Amino acid sequence: MNYKDTINLPKTDFAMKADLVKREPELHRWWAEVDIYRAILNARRAAPKYVLHDGPPYANGEVHIGTGINKILKDIVVKYKTMRGFETPYVPGWDCHGQPIEHKVVTQLGRKAQTTPKAEIREMCKKYAESFIDIQRRQFKRLGVFGEWERPYLTFDPTYEASVLELFADLVEKGHVYRKLKPVHWCMSCRTALAEAELEYGDEKGPSIYVRFPLRTRVDKLFGVKLSDPGSVMIWTTTPWTLPANVATALHPQLNYALVKYESVALGRPETTIVAAPTVERVFGALGIKNFEVLGTAEGKALNGTEYTHPFINRTCPIVMADYVRVEDGTGCVHTAPGHGQEDYATGIEYNLPVLSPVDPDGRFTQEAEVFVGMNVFDADQKICKLLADNKTLLRQEEITHSYPHCWRCKKPVIFRATEQWFIAVDHANAREKALAQVAKTKWYPEWGEVRISGMLRERPDWCISRQRTWGVPIPAVYCQKCGKPFLTAENVRRTAAIFAKEGASAWFLQPASYFHSGGAKCEKCGGAEFRKEDDIFDVWFESGASHRAVVMKHEALSFPADLYLEGTDQHRGWFQLSLLPTVMSQGVAPFRAVLTHGFVVDEEGDKLSKSKAGGLLQAEELTDKYGADVLRLWTSSVNFTDDIPVSHKVIQERAEPYMKIRNTFRYLLGNLFDFDPTRHTVPLGQLHEIDRWALSRLQNLIRRVTSHYERFEFYRAYHDIYNFCVVEMSAFYLDIAKDRLYCSGADWTERRGVQTVLGTILDTLTRLVAPVLVHTAEEIWRNTSAHKKGSAAGSPGEVDSVHIATWPTVDPELVDVDLETRWDRLVKVRTDVLRELERLRKEKTIGSSLEANVTLHADDEKLYEFLKGYEKDLPMVFIVSNVKLGCGLLKGSTPGVEVQKLSILAKPSEHKRCERCWNRRDTVGKDTTHPALCARCVRAV
RNA sequence: GGGCGCGUAGCUCAGUUGGUUAGAGCACACGCUUGAUAAGCGUGGGGUCGGUGGUUCGAGUCCACUCGCGCCCA
């Protein structure tokens, strides 16, 4: 007789082979059919809300692994919170405006771009953005992310554009908005401002000059000498044309400066001048002056406030302090023109210096320059050198070649030119302090996020919100045609917002100024009645910073403030900060209650990813096509994402194995429950074997730990706990031991139904615990578990039966038994020692299968003996051997325990016959006449 | 150059208020099993805890410096 047919082997349709690439899209079809996102929300209609507000990715390019990780993490949070019983709407969005898209479109247009109307360019940009939204949406959905995919928020939607203006109107009303000069990269040939990304750096030949600025303040005492003349301070520059805008000279406060006496050919007498001490040799070498003498040195900060005379303009300027001053080139004394340089501008702000920009859009000097008015600035270089030489302030002039920015379009060198820009005042109405107070009230994950963003907020200058571009939301200001006075009122901004809500922001480019400016208004300054529209648009950060207004406050499913923002750490300066500031200014509170950040993807060596490097950026689609979304999600959940995230095919491939292990654990659970009906077969807790209660107690421990990890967004800890539970506690221990009872007991025996009772609970709980991460696999398991076998109701009748609507498991205190766990911890240690001894026998070829062995254990300790004695009849099952004998004292020829002291182990092959059915060696085999090949237990079973 | 982080086996992670020979899983090697079978089980090798110096009876853990890497600024 073939006894294999008489044992209860697992049966299931749940495939061992995952085949995720094929299976996941099938589930997606089902989810689409039942409208899973809507079904989940419907099931939570009465529940408290949990709002995760999506930071919009840029609508350009495909979804790469970094963007994919971000969306997966958000989805894990959303699915977890849903299971915790919250109504968890998720409205994804896209950042659609901005320079990169405009640049792409304008590049495609080539020369035609100059003559194409702005409204037309904007239409092309919109089409471009839409094409990538479609691609990215498909790729995000493929990851198993649920959300409002058919109604996402888009920053080019008229309602969104209107919201940006509504927010802006509040800020205008509260007095945060003002205009002032700021230097920008400027192409005088294209007559346009350029973004950093629009610059191309290349070598350029130009002048290099050393100039002395005559001092007005006497400094000799500072250097410990006495001189008859105040002397000078020496600067070096490669842009002589910026000298008309010079208003200061910057020195490093901690650097040593030398007072140098030298013979001046121009002056025909000795002169003293100041340069940084480390530069003396090099500078005077370059000047070709051999006779010089350092009279003394002084620290830079001692010279702070010293005054000098501008070399050719009637102007008195100060010496100021700046940390960026270097001594590698130049003199360590830096010519400072806040209208012509970024650092100069910052220094200008710090010292309240005037921002001079005596250059018109064509690059010609204006009246303000006082010299060479109307001349192109590059042409003026030589003239200015001549002027300096004539008034004896030029010490040296030569030609050098250096890296210089050029316009990406016309390839001509660009200049820094100060232009009027719109700003948001951070210190107005205590906004900075209020924002910092809100930061302190926000929960930051990880905690150092608070330190990081606070530091940035404390240091940040006013926010320049204007951009000289086309693809964005226009700044709705108008100017008096006659006198140029700008008009920006909350009323007009709100009027424009209403127009945008109906017609979209492109109306600004199609309609006249009068359409937006209240009729009959006259210029307060000159009485002019004609107005022109502002050309500038908003910084895209102002748009995304308005998402709380456009989305969280307006979308019917959401509520303000959001519970969570979740983005990369770069957004501490970006979206988090630039959402916080305007929200604090308009609403008085932060737009978020908590902020979670993740690190950046790096390569296997931990270096940043770059397109040029081998492999380049991994694309999400490439990974889902190769491994399946659940493997990608499992990998995402397994790393501590607050750090950098090393990513490669190898590390993701490595998660395919644990995925299979978890999958197989589920398959085994399902397989052994094929004939189990919980309503009829459940064995009460009191009748369960201790080891079954051990498994239930460990399961409670798992629930407790995993829940706490999810609450802290520490998914990698949940991954490790779940995985170790499957591998160590279930597969290698409990399930291995349970096989005999499952397979060989009679189908309906209590010992078998008891195990099944436990397996059913574990299956149900574990499916829920992995559902936020393994979204497809959990659903597949759920669908393979018929409704009546699930531990608790999935939802009300008529609802979609999805694991993602099910509720999160909670710890059942009745199932927790710490003492029992402690006892079994000890038994596991004994087991480890026994298995090591069995392995030794295997190596000697004495046994093969462990069931071939009998084990004798001796305890040289009374308490240990009593402990083992209490489990005597369970020990063969626990060790998976045929028989175990217990004894006291020492045992001849035995092996001492390693894990357990005072224990000695002796294993040898069993002398009994093998039961053909259960493979145990038993003395009862052969006793039965009908079934001579079976042991007594198996005779009963068949 | 500055601010904020990170650095424990090949990989992903544990390591309580400083306290014995630094743990787990995977990977690797060698076996067992063939009733979870493109599965399951066992045993084993592998780490100067980025480096140096210090505090201490004792440091992966505390302090200083240093190297490497990332994000954000300059």
Side-chain angles (χ1 to χ4, degrees):
Chain A
M1 184 171 179
N2 185 3
Y3 289 108
K4 184 168 175 175
D5 298 336
T6 72
I7 61 175
N8 316 296
L9 287 176
K11 277 180 215 157
T12 177
D13 292 331
F14 185 77
M16 177 180 285
K17 189 167 187 302
D19 216 359
L20 294 178
V21 177
K22 194 172 132 259
R23 221 181 293 274
E24 287 174 348
E26 284 166 14
L27 272 169
H28 285 226
R29 277 191 286 279
W30 180 68
W31 283 334
E33 221 171 89
V34 299
D35 194 359
I36 189 72
Y37 175 69
R38 202 70 43 204
I40 292 170
L41 287 188
N42 284 341
R44 295 286 187 278
R45 241 174 320 197
K49 274 187 204 289
Y50 184 89
V51 176
L52 189 166
H53 177 42
D54 189 40
Y58 197 62
N60 184 14
E62 311 219 350
V63 176
H64 63 81
I65 181 68
T67 324
I69 288 171
N70 175 265
K71 271 289 192 289
I72 290 172
L73 293 176
K74 285 170 178 166
D75 190 55
I76 292 174
V77 172
V78 167
K79 289 206 166 78
Y80 168 70
K81 290 291 180 182
T82 301
M83 294 183 81
R84 286 302 300 258
F86 290 96
E87 180 190 354
T88 314
Y90 178 62
V91 182
W94 272 277
D95 195 1
C96 307
H97 287 136
Q99 195 273 137
I101 289 176
E102 184 176 341
H103 186 264
K104 275 264 179 345
V105 167
V106 169
T107 308
Q108 276 168 18
L109 277 171
R111 250 197 223 145
K112 278 198 300 187
Q114 312 276 38
T115 52
T116 311
K118 282 187 172 185
E120 215 168 291
I121 290 178
R122 287 169 59 86
E123 201 48 45
M124 295 171 76
C125 289
K126 182 163 185 256
K127 290 225 162 63
Y128 182 92
E130 280 170 339
S131 70
F132 279 104
I133 289 166
D134 286 342
I135 291 171
Q136 292 190 5
R137 171 172 28 216
R138 189 189 74 230
Q139 295 172 340
F140 284 142
K141 284 171 83 173
R142 179 63 190 85
L143 296 170
V145 178
F146 294 170
E148 194 85 65
W149 289 114
E150 305 319 311
R151 278 201 314 150
Y153 75 88
L154 306 174
T155 57
F156 62 46
D157 281 341
T159 53
Y160 196 104
E161 292 172 330
S163 301
V164 172
L165 294 198
E166 286 160 19
L167 171 63
F168 187 57
D170 287 359
L171 303 196
V172 169
E173 195 164 59
K174 290 178 199 263
H176 284 285
V177 182
Y178 70 96
R179 248 164 100 73
K180 72 170 175 186
L181 285 168
K182 179 180 188 283
V184 295
H185 288 287
W186 187 269
C187 176
M188 49 185 138
S189 138
C190 301
R191 289 176 59 103
T192 181
L194 295 171
E196 188 62 44
E198 292 172 312
L199 302 177
E200 292 174 356
Y201 286 83
D203 282 350
E204 188 71 25
K205 218 162 103 178
S208 157
I209 58 171
Y210 291 86
V211 184
R212 60 178 197 88
F213 291 165
L215 291 175
R216 286 171 65 96
T217 315
R218 302 197 70 94
V219 294
D220 47 2
K221 272 189 195 154
L222 296 170
F223 290 92
V225 291
K226 198 164 161 50
L227 298 170
S228 55
D229 187 88
S232 65
V233 58
M234 196 198 304
I235 62 99
W236 172 75
T237 182
T238 56
T239 52
W241 67 266
T242 61
L243 284 172
N246 174 279
V247 293
T249 293
L251 270 55
H252 195 291
Q254 273 91 49
L255 203 58
N256 260 324
Y257 284 84
L259 185 66
V260 186
K261 185 177 180 186
Y262 68 102
E263 193 61 37
S264 167
V265 180
L267 295 171
R269 61 171 170 82
E271 211 253 334
T272 55
T273 192
I274 296 166
V275 296
T279 71
V280 173
E281 295 293 328
R282 177 173 51 73
V283 167
F284 281 85
L287 296 177
I289 295 170
K290 291 195 181 73
N291 290 324
F292 62 91
E293 184 193 351
V294 174
L295 299 178
T297 62
E299 236 188 343
K301 66 182 174 203
L303 293 157
N304 192 17
T306 300
E307 289 184 335
Y308 66 89
T309 308
H310 191 283
F312 53 83
I313 290 170
N314 183 18
R315 184 186 296 156
T316 298
C317 312
I319 284 177
V320 297
M321 298 295 112
D323 287 336
Y324 54 78
V325 173
R326 292 283 165 271
V327 295
E328 282 68 37
D329 43 31
T331 62
C333 307
V334 178
H335 149 53
T336 298
H340 294 309
Q342 220 69 273
E343 288 179 329
D344 303 41
Y345 177 72
T347 303
I349 298 286
E350 191 181 339
Y351 285 89
N352 203 21
L353 302 169
V355 178
L356 303 183
S357 184
V359 180
D360 73 10
D362 293 308
R364 291 179 306 227
F365 278 126
T366 61
Q367 289 291 338
E368 199 183 14
E370 299 189 25
V371 292
F372 312 117
V373 175
M375 188 180 286
N376 174 278
V377 294
F378 288 148
D379 296 338
D381 268 343
Q382 292 306 320
K383 299 276 182 190
I384 285 170
C385 291
K386 176 79 171 33
L387 186 61
L388 293 169
D390 289 349
N391 69 18
K392 300 178 172 38
T393 50
L394 183 69
L395 286 157
R396 173 84 184 176
Q397 177 182 359
E398 51 194 22
E399 288 270 299
I400 61 159
T401 303
H402 59 128
S403 176
Y404 195 85
H406 296 76
C407 172
W408 67 281
R409 197 167 0 204
C410 70
K411 312 297 177 194
K412 294 196 176 122
V414 303
I415 60 171
F416 253 118
R417 173 173 174 258
T419 53
E420 292 277 340
Q421 302 289 340
W422 291 101
F423 285 84
I424 291 177
V426 176
D427 287 310
H428 180 71
N430 284 324
R432 194 188 303 270
E433 288 69 30
K434 284 183 196 159
L436 284 164
Q438 287 298 309
V439 164
K441 285 178 89 171
T442 302
K443 184 102 176 111
W444 298 89
Y445 301 91
E447 284 176 8
W448 50 256
E450 179 179 350
V451 180
R452 187 167 155 93
I453 194 168
S454 299
M456 289 169 174
L457 266 173
R458 240 174 252 122
E459 298 289 316
R460 72 149 302 137
D462 282 352
W463 182 3
C464 177
I465 53 163
S466 49
R467 295 291 182 273
Q468 293 67 53
R469 306 247 62 90
T470 302
W471 182 227
V473 177
I475 295 175
V478 295
Y479 298 86
C480 172
Q481 285 282 28
K482 213 161 139 197
C483 71
K485 184 179 164 60
F487 278 85
L488 183 71
T489 63
E491 188 198 346
N492 270 344
V493 175
R494 290 198 178 108
R495 176 203 307 273
T496 309
I499 295 170
F500 282 11
K502 280 197 208 112
E503 304 172 30
S506 286
W508 187 259
F509 301 90
L510 298 167
Q511 302 291 348
S514 56
Y515 194 66
F516 308 97
H517 191 46
S518 47
K522 286 213 163 103
C523 174
E524 299 160 359
K525 198 171 155 195
C526 71
E530 297 290 307
F531 296 91
R532 67 172 175 83
K533 292 173 292 180
E534 169 68 88
D535 283 328
D536 291 359
I537 61 168
F538 284 99
D539 175 11
V540 284
W541 283 115
F542 189 77
E543 291 187 39
S544 58
S547 67
H548 69 280
R549 181 82 167 223
V551 184
V552 183
M553 292 172 85
K554 287 195 176 169
H555 196 290
E556 70 280 1
L558 307 178
S559 66
F560 178 89
D563 291 286
L564 187 69
Y565 278 33
L566 196 181
E567 309 295 335
T569 56
D570 54 335
Q571 303 303 342
H572 281 116
R573 176 167 295 272
W575 194 51
F576 303 147
Q577 190 199 177
L578 301 178
S579 294
L580 175 68
L581 279 173
T583 313
V584 166
M585 289 170 186
S586 66
Q587 307 296 324
V589 293
F592 36 66
R593 294 199 174 98
V595 175
L596 171 60
T597 55
H598 55 78
F600 270 66
V601 287
V602 292
D603 67 18
E604 284 174 291
E605 279 77 47
D607 294 330
K608 82 193 270 172
L609 292 180
S610 63
K611 283 173 192 163
S612 55
K613 223 170 166 180
L617 284 180
L618 292 175
Q619 299 296 319
E621 193 162 54
E622 166 192 358
L623 296 169
T624 46
D625 283 352
K626 191 164 181 190
Y627 308 105
D630 275 11
V631 169
L632 185 59
R633 294 179 68 112
L634 187 66
W635 167 77
T636 302
S637 83
S638 75
V639 295
N640 178 356
F641 59 75
T642 58
D643 282 353
D644 299 334
I645 308 165
V647 53
S648 64
H649 275 286
K650 185 169 159 273
V651 296
I652 295 166
Q653 176 66 58
E654 275 172 1
R655 285 292 166 271
E657 183 64 30
Y659 170 83
M660 281 310 297
K661 184 79 192 186
I662 293 169
R663 187 182 174 87
N664 264 316
T665 304
F666 277 112
R667 182 168 184 267
Y668 190 70
L669 294 171
L670 284 164
N672 280 297
L673 289 164
F674 72 95
D675 65 340
F676 181 75
D677 177 354
T679 56
R680 286 162 44 214
H681 302 136
T682 295
V683 175
L685 186 61
Q687 290 176 37
L688 290 180
H689 192 282
E690 246 198 62
I691 194 170
D692 298 331
R693 284 191 279 126
W694 171 87
L696 289 176
S697 191
R698 294 304 296 162
L699 184 68
Q700 306 314 303
N701 179 57
L702 181 71
I703 295 170
R704 183 178 56 77
R705 290 180 58 103
V706 169
T707 306
S708 134
H709 300 328
Y710 270 85
E711 283 298 319
R712 292 175 199 159
F713 308 112
E714 292 172 343
F715 308 138
Y716 67 99
R717 290 181 189 265
Y719 162 81
H720 275 278
D721 281 352
I722 289 171
Y723 186 57
N724 278 323
F725 180 80
C726 287
V727 173
V728 182
E729 301 190 346
M730 288 299 111
S731 191
F733 183 68
Y734 181 70
L735 297 180
D736 206 27
I737 288 170
K739 282 172 190 169
D740 181 75
R741 285 188 297 160
L742 282 167
Y743 299 168
C744 303
S745 304
D748 227 9
W749 291 4
T750 306
E751 49 250 76
R752 177 155 182 274
R753 293 303 188 199
V755 182
Q756 285 181 315
T757 301
V758 172
L759 296 190
T761 305
I762 292 173
L763 171 66
D764 179 75
T765 302
L766 210 50
T767 309
R768 295 167 199 251
L769 292 181
V770 302
V773 173
L774 301 179
V775 291
H776 304 90
T777 307
E779 191 77 305
E780 193 191 340
I781 295 162
W782 198 256
R783 302 195 80 199
N784 269 281
T785 315
S786 44
H788 70 281
K789 288 186 188 167
K790 285 164 197 161
S792 57
S796 322
E799 274 179 8
V800 176
D801 187 23
S802 164
V803 70
H804 301 300
I805 297 177
T807 54
W808 192 251
T810 50
V811 174
D812 180 351
E814 222 187 312
L815 300 181
V816 178
D817 191 336
V818 179
D819 289 344
L820 187 152
E821 285 190 41
T822 310
R823 293 197 298 277
W824 279 81
D825 275 352
R826 204 169 177 199
L827 281 175
V828 167
K829 286 198 169 103
V830 175
R831 183 178 191 257
T832 304
D833 278 338
V834 169
L835 293 186
R836 190 181 295 108
E837 182 60 9
L838 291 175
E839 184 65 19
R840 203 174 62 76
L841 263 62
R842 219 170 264 134
K843 282 261 150 69
E844 289 172 357
K845 303 280 179 199
T846 312
I847 59 162
S849 158
S850 59
L851 283 175
E852 288 168 29
N854 281 350
V855 171
T856 308
L857 292 181
H858 273 221
D860 194 17
D861 174 275
E862 202 168 319
K863 280 189 178 150
L864 177 62
Y865 177 77
E866 288 303 321
F867 172 72
L868 292 171
K869 195 74 186 164
Y871 288 98
E872 189 169 20
K873 67 173 178 17
D874 296 328
L875 293 178
M877 168 187 83
V878 173
F879 304 153
I880 318 184
V881 296
S882 279
N883 192 30
V884 175
K885 271 188 203 145
L886 290 177
C888 271
L890 293 167
L891 179 60
K892 220 175 131 192
S894 70
T895 307
V898 177
E899 303 285 327
V900 183
Q901 303 294 303
K902 314 261 187 184
L903 178 75
S904 42
I905 306 138
L906 181 67
K908 55 184 176 193
S910 168
E911 65 276 21
H912 298 301
K913 274 196 190 148
R914 184 176 104 140
C915 167
E916 287 301 316
R917 186 168 175 275
C918 72
W919 300 345
N920 280 283
R921 318 257 160 175
R922 290 280 142 81
D923 56 1
T924 55
V925 177
K927 298 271 161 70
D928 189 82
T929 46
T930 333
H931 299 288
L934 300 190
C935 67
R937 185 264 310 257
C938 286
V939 170
R940 266 200 303 134
V942 293

